[in-house]
Amino acid sequence: MAGHGAEHDGNEHDGNKGPEPTAVRKTDYAGAVYGSLLAASVVAGAGTLGTFPRLVLVLLLLGTGLVFWAAHVYAELVGDRLMHQALSRQEIRRVCADEWPIVQAAVPPAAAVAVRPVLGLGPQGAAWLALAVAVVEQVGWATVAVVRAHAPRRLVLAAGTVNLLLGLIIVVLKAGLQH
């Protein structure tokens, strides 16, 4: 998921450092983490309004991911224009790909909702499963990002813990707002 978008080759420049010494491909996991948190928020927020038919929640998750992806793409492209950089088709495609993990992060929670009949879950059970999938996904992508950055173990633990806490805040909000 995160590996598809936000990949950069070593020929790009960092404003202060010049070109990178090797052509190593780097991945930005921010979109995957953000998209997972967004999916968890959608499930929690939708749950406060009652139960939804399975298809409605699946479409809500995927549709929200697409809308936020488009908003991020638009904001990035407008930011490029404000920086007086000409926009090319290649730049537009790059930005679209870089932000795509936001949409991809909605897929596992949506799939969890979609398979609820196979698992014998009702609408509330499916919502809780989707929320759990989104939180696990969020913690997983944040942890993978830090591990792949060769960060010290304490930073890996901190990233996982912070993202777990963020996810648990959403879980607590969902539980509190439903009662």
Side-chain angles (χ1 to χ4, degrees):
M1 173 180 11
H4 177 268
E7 292 184 5
H8 306 287
D9 63 25
N11 297 324
E12 294 186 43
H13 293 273
D14 181 338
N16 297 325
K17 297 179 189 172
E20 293 180 9
T22 62
V24 175
R25 296 183 69 79
K26 293 194 278 182
T27 301
D28 179 0
Y29 292 89
V33 173
Y34 175 82
S36 301
L37 187 59
L38 176 65
S41 299
V42 167
V43 172
T48 65
L49 302 173
T51 59
F52 285 88
R54 180 174 39 141
L55 181 60
V56 171
L57 188 51
V58 167
L59 292 175
L60 185 60
L61 280 160
L62 297 175
T64 302
L66 282 167
V67 168
F68 273 74
W69 166 78
H72 278 250
V73 168
Y74 175 76
E76 179 73 20
L77 293 174
V78 168
D80 284 348
R81 292 297 286 171
L82 292 175
M83 297 293 296
H84 307 290
Q85 296 177 358
L87 289 179
S88 64
R89 286 182 189 204
Q90 180 181 0
E91 176 65 5
I92 293 169
R93 282 191 303 271
R94 183 197 63 78
V95 171
C96 287
D98 284 355
E99 299 298 336
W100 192 244
I102 294 171
V103 176
Q104 290 175 306
V107 173
V113 172
V115 300
R116 87 168 165 88
V118 174
L119 301 174
L121 298 173
Q124 284 298 326
W128 281 106
L129 176 60
L131 181 57
V133 167
V135 170
V136 167
E137 180 182 35
Q138 174 191 337
V139 172
W141 285 121
T143 303
V144 165
V146 177
V147 166
R148 289 204 176 158
H150 305 291
R153 287 181 193 222
R154 71 184 193 306
L155 189 54
V156 173
L157 181 60
T161 302
V162 166
N163 277 277
L164 179 59
L165 289 173
L166 290 171
L168 290 177
I169 289 169
I170 293 173
V171 169
V172 168
L173 286 172
K174 176 175 173 35
L177 292 173
Q178 282 187 329
H179 297 288

